[in-house]
Amino acid sequence: MAERRFRVIVCRGPECGDKRDSRSIHAAFVAQIDARGVGHRCELDWQSCFGRCSQGPNVLVRELPAAVQAPRRFALADLPPSRGGGPRLATALYNRLDPVKVVEVVASHVVQGTVVGRFIERPDALVKPPGEPDV
Ligand code: FES
């Protein structure tokens, strides 16, 4: 069975990047991905904005479909997941991340494929934290 692969996309938009220092989040992912030795199966990238600015810094961790490899013998298990079927890919948009939370996201989501649900907010739960200005 192929190793699970992930793509981590850190928002660098005006709210996440300029006001909430998503650069430190990106740096924490670089360090954790390196420390856990998963760089060969985890891509790290930037995004300009996810449209969830008031809940930032936001980071999308997306599991990538397994690459189709040339099987020695054809088997249904070798087929990539079809639309509406196949294994569910572990994908989540994390909100209000900080470098401490990044440690757990990498350990759980990237290493084990388990989403960290408590770092995810509902899109309609746009309640600003105390002291935060309106976006
Ligand atoms: S600036 Fe990050 S979601 Fe908009």
Side-chain angles (χ1 to χ4, degrees), residues 11-17 48-54 56-58:
C11 181
R12 66 173 171 199
E15 281 296 318
C16 296
S48 58
C49 182
F50 289 110
R52 301 272 297 273
C53 310
S54 66
N58 295 306

